[in-house]
Amino acid sequence: MVYACLALLTFTSGCKRKPEVTIDIARPKPTLTEYFDKKYLLYKLPADYYNKSFLNRSFDKSTDSSVTEFKPIGFDPSLNLQYTHIYSSQCPYHLDTTYWKYAEVCFPNTCITKDSAYAMFRLKNTSPQSKTYNTRLFYQNTTYWYPTNDSINLSAPDYLDNYYGASLVFSFTLKPNQDTLISLPYNIGPDPKREFPLESYKSAARPGNYEFMLLTLSGNDDVLMDKNINLQKLNPFAEVQKDLLQNGGKKYYGHFSYTGPHHFKFVALDEYFDGKNDLTPNHLYVIKDGKEKKLCDTCTNTFRAVINESWKVDEFFKGFISKTAFIHADYGIKKENTTISNNGVTITIPASKTGDYKKTWGEFIFGPSIKYGHLTVRAKFAQMMNGTGTPNGIIHNLWLYQRDPDPVDTTNPYSHIGNSLGKQPYEIDFEIWNSEYGINTMWDDSAFINFSIVDYMRDANVTVKPGEKKRMGKYEANRLNTRQLNIPGGNLGRDYFNSFHTYELYWYPDHVRFLVDGCEEAIITKDMAKIPDKYAFLWIGSPLYQDGTYYSQSSIPFLLRSKQTVVDYIKIE
């Protein structure tokens, strides 16, 4: 992808851009096209792929002399391998008309590979007596984690939030000086901690890099060899690290083999809309339908009977628009306004004509939920402004939205803050609204982008309180909307909406980074807002909301020509 800047795009981050170059001129193409291993859908990355990257890891080396040739996924551990999940039409997506089951996002792919992964290693008994070895494989995501290396925080077990899992325990009895090659089955996800025993797909494998640890013990009474191990309360990598730091490694040093996170990268989605993933509506991509939230002056679905895209502000307040009668019109999300094809997802905001007035739009979600990751979306959002510099009523939302809202913590002094249902679902948002940020006018000839986390003040100790504005590092943050922490971004001219742009966020346990066209535009840290720590789904729409149009949607004229938003690339890694 090519990143630069348009003349009427003015961001505030100081990221250097070339104003004369068009942004993102080409739709991305797959860079990995041939599988290294077709059964497991593995790609081979270049040998120098991580040369300029720092990968988190718990340990530096293996310590078990009884194990050699440890290959956690069956291949040379020096290789850099990547698995990109495929959402096949062979996967079951719903059980009946009222209950939906999303694909199991895990490795190996349950719908295509239909087999386990196998860790391979050679086990040797060097003692003069027969010996029984108990073995178990453990894995952990290290890209989005709380450290379990020697910087581990032992006083606050945040590392229990990491994505990790274990194989079953396998026992092998070897004669003196016998060695044997062992193949040990396991899977990375779904739901390795059994947090959702009846709906395992809800705990999708976390995108990013994984480390592997093979533990080999002669006894079976260790907590890490318990066949009923409770991984919700115990992190195996943390247990081994604690033993090394507090006990000199008396329990586990000399008994574990280790492969670092360079060896295996998990990509949850790499969507080019080329048919590799199932594009059947309401399978992977769910098209929303139905009436949207009540919006104050549109509660009765009445609007000024004006179809016009060349009106001026004075005509809105004092001219013909203000004098035109209200009529009833169709309003809300309509499934027919969203289509999925090899061109991507297209959201239409349809035009009206006399006798057929409508203010409808489309929205869609990516069904499988994620918890942390690097999201990339390439989109060309529909034009928001008329040629006369007035708004046409459209705004844009690109959200990560909490899948299952938590019970409200009534001990929190801000527990009264909630949505219309009294819930407090997290959001991580890109939002594009009408009018230039910080200018006290009704409208002007620009829009602005806002970066935010909706946290409902679920951490009462954050530094930016409701109603406050503060300079946080190089960004200006505010809670003028009490439910969320905002960092206002750049002002966008009309030409911005004539091009595709790339929107990225990096969602870590302690901060979120927002990027547009490759340039960082905001960082929200845990001292500014409660960083979401629950599963969330991607939600994109181009609605005709009150938000961002100064609560005047009922008087903004109907569209004369249909507008379209196109999303043609999505990646979660």
Side-chain angles (χ1 to χ4, degrees):
M1 286 181 268
V2 176
Y3 297 126
C5 183
L6 293 170
L8 293 180
L9 172 59
T10 308
F11 281 107
T12 56
S13 69
C15 186
K16 294 181 180 179
R17 304 165 184 269
K18 297 178 181 180
E20 71 280 3
V21 182
T22 302
I23 284 179
D24 212 5
I25 58 176
R27 184 178 181 180
K29 296 180 180 180
T31 56
L32 300 174
T33 56
E34 297 292 331
Y35 283 122
F36 168 76
D37 184 87
K38 292 182 179 180
K39 176 181 177 179
Y40 289 102
L41 310 180
L42 290 169
Y43 294 107
K44 182 181 176 182
L45 301 174
D48 61 354
Y49 187 78
Y50 296 112
N51 281 5
K52 296 182 180 180
S53 302
F54 174 80
L55 298 180
N56 300 314
R57 56 190 295 145
S58 294
F59 311 109
D60 291 326
K61 61 182 180 179
S62 298
T63 67
D64 192 346
S65 59
S66 63
V67 170
T68 59
E69 302 175 32
F70 175 43
K71 301 175 182 179
I73 52 177
F75 301 100
D76 180 352
S78 68
L79 296 175
N80 302 327
L81 300 179
Q82 176 179 304
Y83 167 73
T84 301
H85 194 76
I86 299 297
Y87 298 83
S88 168
S89 59
Q90 302 173 44
C91 299
Y93 286 92
H94 60 90
L95 305 181
D96 58 41
T97 57
T98 59
Y99 179 76
W100 289 86
K101 174 185 181 298
Y102 296 114
E104 294 178 338
V105 182
C106 54
F107 174 78
N109 191 308
T110 55
C111 303
I112 299 176
T113 302
K114 299 179 181 178
D115 196 0
S116 297
Y118 293 89
M120 300 180 69
F121 57 96
R122 187 170 292 279
L123 182 63
K124 184 174 183 179
N125 178 12
T126 58
S127 70
Q129 297 89 24
S130 294
K131 191 173 182 180
T132 297
Y133 295 87
N134 295 293
T135 63
R136 187 174 228 169
L137 181 82
F138 301 95
Y139 60 82
Q140 178 172 239
N141 183 294
T142 66
T143 305
Y144 309 97
W145 76 334
Y146 288 96
T148 53
N149 53 25
D150 56 10
S151 68
I152 187 171
N153 184 354
L154 297 176
S155 63
D158 293 331
Y159 47 74
L160 295 177
D161 187 55
N162 293 355
Y163 196 92
Y164 53 85
S167 72
L168 298 176
V169 178
F170 295 87
S171 297
F172 304 94
T173 300
L174 274 63
K175 297 177 182 180
N177 296 314
Q178 179 186 1
D179 71 83
T180 185
L181 186 64
I182 293 172
S183 183
L184 189 154
Y186 72 99
N187 299 279
I188 296 179
D191 197 27
K193 302 180 193 176
R194 302 191 184 280
E195 298 170 281
F196 306 97
L198 300 179
E199 299 173 299
S200 62
Y201 66 90
K202 284 190 170 183
S203 180
R206 188 173 296 177
N209 291 79
Y210 282 78
E211 62 183 358
F212 300 88
M213 176 176 67
L214 178 71
L215 192 62
T216 306
L217 299 175
S218 56
N220 60 5
D221 58 347
D222 188 88
V223 63
L224 294 184
M225 291 298 174
D226 185 349
K227 66 178 181 179
N228 296 314
I229 188 171
N230 186 348
L231 293 177
Q232 294 182 38
K233 295 184 177 180
L234 182 149
N235 181 323
F237 292 83
E239 291 301 306
V240 173
Q241 191 65 250
K242 278 190 256 184
D243 176 57
L244 293 173
L245 295 175
Q246 298 180 337
N247 199 31
K250 291 181 180 179
K251 289 179 66 176
Y252 301 120
Y253 189 83
H255 300 289
F256 71 86
S257 301
Y258 178 76
T259 296
H262 68 279
H263 185 46
F264 182 75
K265 179 182 180 181
F266 187 101
V267 175
L269 179 69
D270 195 15
E271 182 62 89
Y272 297 88
F273 297 96
D274 55 4
K276 184 170 284 190
N277 292 313
D278 186 358
L279 299 182
T280 305
N282 297 327
H283 281 192
L284 180 59
Y285 298 100
V286 179
I287 297 173
K288 293 181 69 64
D289 189 34
K291 299 298 181 182
E292 186 48 45
K293 64 181 181 181
K294 297 297 183 182
L295 299 177
C296 301
D297 61 350
T298 60
C299 292
T300 58
N301 286 17
T302 58
F303 306 88
R304 300 280 189 186
V306 179
I307 303 172
N308 192 301
E309 294 185 24
S310 58
W311 54 276
K312 299 178 181 179
V313 172
D314 285 346
E315 292 170 332
F316 182 90
F317 291 104
K318 302 176 184 179
F320 72 98
I321 295 175
S322 66
K323 299 173 183 177
T324 301
F326 287 91
I327 50 94
H328 284 271
D330 201 7
Y331 176 82
I333 307 171
K334 299 296 181 183
K335 62 182 180 182
E336 59 266 26
N337 291 340
T338 302
T339 59
I340 306 172
S341 70
N342 289 341
N343 294 321
V345 181
T346 300
I347 294 171
T348 298
I349 307 93
S352 294
K353 58 184 178 180
T354 303
D356 184 18
Y357 295 97
K358 62 187 70 173
K359 285 206 173 189
T360 65
W361 64 91
E363 299 183 11
F364 75 95
I365 66 173
F366 172 68
S369 303
I370 63 170
K371 181 179 175 182
Y372 310 125
H374 173 199
L375 169 69
T376 301
V377 174
R378 183 179 186 267
K380 180 181 178 183
F381 282 116
Q383 180 61 251
M384 296 175 64
M385 289 170 280
N386 299 317
T388 50
T390 53
N392 59 23
I394 301 170
I395 66 166
H396 302 295
N397 299 323
L398 193 165
W399 298 337
L400 286 176
Y401 194 91
Q402 185 179 347
R403 181 189 63 210
D404 303 312
D406 305 296
V408 175
D409 178 8
T410 56
T411 66
N412 186 317
Y414 298 98
S415 61
H416 61 281
I417 302 175
N419 64 11
S420 60
L421 299 176
K423 304 291 186 180
Q424 296 181 330
Y426 286 123
E427 297 176 32
I428 305 175
D429 297 348
F430 292 85
E431 298 171 305
I432 303 178
W433 294 335
N434 287 118
S435 196
E436 183 175 345
Y437 175 72
I439 303 299
N440 189 25
T441 58
M442 185 67 172
W443 296 304
D444 45 48
D445 59 353
S446 67
F448 83 94
I449 188 167
N450 187 62
F451 311 99
S452 69
I453 288 180
V454 179
D455 65 352
Y456 296 93
M457 285 294 295
R458 287 167 68 169
D459 179 358
N461 297 316
V462 295
T463 55
V464 185
K465 298 295 194 289
E468 291 185 345
K469 296 172 67 174
K470 286 188 177 180
R471 189 77 182 176
M472 303 295 292
K474 60 182 178 180
Y475 299 110
E476 178 186 293
N478 71 70
R479 281 189 185 269
L480 302 183
N481 179 337
T482 58
R483 69 177 190 164
Q484 67 193 65
L485 189 286
N486 304 293
I487 294 181
N491 297 313
L492 314 176
R494 279 180 50 81
D495 287 353
Y496 180 86
F497 301 97
N498 295 332
S499 301
F500 279 88
H501 298 273
T502 300
Y503 305 86
E504 295 177 82
L505 63 83
Y506 290 81
W507 175 17
Y508 293 96
D510 61 352
H511 72 281
V512 177
R513 295 178 63 221
F514 298 83
L515 292 82
V516 178
D517 294 321
C519 287
E520 180 189 292
E521 302 298 343
I523 297 179
I524 298 177
T525 57
K526 64 180 181 179
D527 60 322
M528 300 161 66
K530 179 72 169 70
I531 303 300
D533 57 1
K534 304 293 182 177
Y535 282 89
F537 54 82
L538 174 63
W539 185 352
I540 298 177
S542 294
L544 295 159
Y545 281 177
Q546 297 288 55
D547 312 45
T549 57
Y550 293 90
Y551 299 91
S552 52
Q553 191 66 245
S554 62
S555 294
I556 292 177
F558 293 93
L559 293 177
L560 179 63
R561 292 171 291 275
S562 297
K563 305 291 185 288
Q564 288 186 331
T565 285
V566 179
V567 176
D568 70 358
Y569 179 68
I570 305 173
K571 188 172 186 179
I572 301 172
E573 59 182 325

